Amino acid sequence: MLFQRAASVSTSPLLWKGPEDRRIRLQLVSVEDAEGQAQSGSLAVFLGVQPSAAQQAGWGAVRTWSLPTQGADHGGSCACCQGGGQLGRFLISLIQERARGKCVFFQTLCLICLPQDRAGLMRALQSDPLVFSLYGLEAVSSRFSCLC
């Protein structure tokens, strides 16, 4: 038989491979869908967006992250203008905080961004081997899922 029954849909090393994958699950969620995705064992990181109280409810913990505006093409605080691995360094620092007990012990990290920032965010994540060695991207919905 020529079928691969356990093969992933994509060969991207960034993709989470299921329960046998020991990396932390990374979910990419639009701001509009953030309220419906809240999980008590998850850390939500709003990228370049200030979350409302309703968007913050239900998460294990909530953080915000944005870049300095210097050298940005359209405002600088969006994830797609990230440069020099700053987002990767931030994601690595979250794992360090988790290991040291300085933040909630999250099983899933949800990156919440504006829909127009998604493509740049995916490029930034895919270009950082340290990030995808520690995090595995899990598709959340067919409307806003990974294009690895």
Side-chain angles (χ1 to χ4, degrees):
M1 200 170 221
L2 297 174
F3 293 97
Q4 292 182 350
R5 295 174 191 233
S8 298
V9 175
S10 173
T11 58
S12 171
L14 181 59
L15 285 181
W16 189 68
K17 294 167 181 44
E20 71 280 356
D21 194 336
R22 297 294 178 210
R23 298 175 296 166
I24 295 170
R25 284 186 281 183
L26 181 66
Q27 296 177 343
L28 184 57
V29 179
S30 70
V31 174
E32 294 81 17
D33 295 334
E35 287 181 50
Q37 297 295 327
Q39 303 165 23
S40 61
S42 296
L43 173 63
V45 177
F46 287 81
L47 301 170
V49 177
Q50 190 60 41
S52 67
Q55 290 169 326
Q56 294 182 54
W59 297 102
V62 175
R63 299 278 181 94
T64 57
W65 184 81
S66 60
L67 283 166
T69 57
Q70 296 174 337
D73 293 333
H74 57 273
S77 62
C78 68
C80 67
C81 286
Q82 84 87 30
Q86 292 180 32
L87 177 60
R89 286 191 293 274
F90 173 71
L91 295 177
I92 301 303
S93 74
L94 291 176
I95 287 182
Q96 292 171 334
E97 288 181 27
R98 175 184 181 252
R100 294 177 182 136
K102 294 185 178 186
C103 73
V104 66
F105 190 85
F106 56 93
Q107 299 295 325
T108 303
L109 175 67
C110 294
L111 298 179
I112 302 167
C113 68
L114 298 171
Q116 65 266 24
D117 294 343
R118 186 175 166 274
L121 178 59
M122 288 301 301
R123 281 191 302 274
L125 293 171
Q126 288 179 323
S127 68
D128 194 331
L130 191 54
V131 168
F132 62 74
S133 70
L134 298 170
Y135 292 99
L137 187 64
E138 179 181 39
V140 175
S141 73
S142 60
R143 192 171 71 101
F144 200 75
S145 61
C146 159
L147 293 175
C148 299

